[in-house]
Amino acid sequence: MKKLALLSLILSFSSLAFGKEAIVQPAIEEEVVQEVIVAPAPVVEAPVLKDHIYFRFGGNLWDRYSKYSFDPNNGDPSEKISNGKTKNFGYEFAIEGTRSITPEFELGLGVAYQVHNKNKSKSETETVILRAPAANTITSTMGRYNSVPVYVTGKYNFHTDSPWTPYLKANLGYSFNINEKDSKETNGIDSYSYKTKVKNGLYTGIGAGVEYNNFLVDIMYQTNFAKASLKNKETGETSKNKKFNYSAVTLSVGYKLDM
């Protein structure tokens, strides 16, 4: 009996040991996590776009009016009274406000007050029977006018590695033509005065310049478009509206304020 119990105990321990060996332990795999490092994108600073105010003063290096003839409305023959040449000095003041659309290009508005030059007198000699010799020379002086152009202005800057910035510039607008002066004609004996009436018109300008530390100098070719008519103050005789443009090459200096 005791032998049987001992045999059963031995068999139980043997079965337990065999079961432990039969159990397969699962393999534990280590998961390798690779850390991906993303480099930050380079920071590109946006250009600072500014507003600007320009103050300019310019003088004319050259200027001309359109040639003008008195062309009566009553059908009488026309009479040339101006060859367009000028004398003395024309000048202007201007103020402009622009905004930088890109680092190179500015767009804005401007207004100027332009004092146009005087017309040179035109003289011609004619022979008329029964006229005094002094009356053979007829001298005509066409009146003049001033202008206030209001315009859109564009400026393209060529940036360099120095304080000097060359640029191109263009203006387009409307010219208010004001302060007309009377035209005159004399033949040595009689004198006539003509009221000059000038109509408004287009204004254009194109040129180039250079800027240095907010100071600038440029040269512009400008035209104020106009038509003029004359009226004899004594006889009331009037003329047709005819072209009377004023063109000038203007050298200007100025200063720019960055806002």
Side-chain angles (χ1 to χ4, degrees):
M1 187 72 177
K2 288 182 180 181
K3 290 181 180 180
L4 182 60
L6 181 59
L7 181 59
S8 300
L9 183 60
I10 291 172
L11 290 174
S12 299
F13 277 112
S14 298
S15 300
L16 182 61
F18 180 80
K20 287 182 179 181
E21 291 179 359
I23 298 174
V24 178
Q25 298 293 331
I28 300 175
E29 296 182 359
E30 290 187 6
E31 182 178 357
V32 179
V33 179
Q34 294 184 349
E35 183 178 358
V36 179
I37 301 176
V38 180
V43 178
V44 179
E45 294 185 0
V48 179
L49 302 181
K50 297 181 179 181
D51 295 333
H52 317 279
I53 297 179
Y54 293 88
F55 300 93
R56 300 172 176 274
F57 171 76
N60 295 341
L61 303 178
W62 172 93
D63 49 20
R64 284 289 186 276
Y65 288 96
S66 301
K67 295 178 180 180
Y68 192 87
S69 297
F70 183 83
D71 192 2
N73 283 316
N74 60 10
D76 287 347
S78 62
E79 179 184 352
K80 187 176 180 180
I81 62 174
S82 173
N83 55 19
K85 294 181 180 180
T86 60
K87 62 180 181 180
N88 295 344
F89 182 68
Y91 58 92
E92 67 174 38
F93 300 93
I95 182 170
E96 298 169 351
T98 67
R99 171 165 292 182
S100 295
I101 307 301
T102 69
E104 293 81 21
F105 181 65
E106 301 173 29
L107 187 65
L109 297 174
V111 61
Y113 183 78
Q114 300 172 330
V115 178
H116 298 328
N117 218 337
K118 294 181 179 180
N119 271 289
K120 277 186 177 180
S121 298
K122 175 185 172 298
S123 298
E124 62 180 17
T125 301
E126 61 178 15
T127 302
V128 180
I129 300 174
L130 301 179
R131 175 179 285 184
N136 287 341
T137 300
I138 299 176
T139 302
S140 304
T141 305
M142 183 65 183
R144 65 180 178 92
Y145 61 95
N146 297 333
S147 296
V148 179
V150 179
Y151 53 91
V152 176
T153 182
K155 179 170 177 271
Y156 191 88
N157 301 294
F158 298 90
H159 295 294
T160 64
D161 295 329
S162 71
W164 299 92
T165 304
Y167 60 84
L168 297 176
K169 190 172 183 294
N171 300 336
L172 177 63
Y174 191 75
S175 178
F176 296 92
N177 301 320
I178 60 174
N179 293 346
E180 302 100 322
K181 303 299 181 183
D182 289 345
S183 302
K184 297 178 181 180
E185 181 181 79
T186 180
N187 57 19
I189 297 177
D190 300 317
S191 296
Y192 302 94
S193 182
Y194 296 84
K195 180 176 176 60
T196 306
K197 185 176 181 180
V198 180
K199 290 188 173 183
N200 303 329
L202 189 69
Y203 161 75
T204 62
I206 188 169
V210 64
E211 183 179 319
Y212 177 80
N213 289 338
N214 287 33
F215 290 94
L216 54 97
V217 58
D218 57 39
I219 188 166
M220 298 280 293
Y221 178 79
Q222 306 179 94
T223 299
N224 303 87
F225 291 83
K227 287 187 175 182
S229 61
L230 303 181
K231 180 179 180 180
N232 191 312
K233 289 186 173 182
E234 295 183 3
T235 65
E237 184 181 23
T238 59
S239 72
K240 299 176 182 178
N241 275 309
K242 301 197 70 175
K243 182 174 69 173
F244 192 40
N245 301 340
Y246 180 79
S247 299
V249 175
T250 306
L251 179 66
S252 298
V253 295
Y255 185 77
K256 178 181 74 173
L257 290 178
D258 294 321
M259 307 301 290

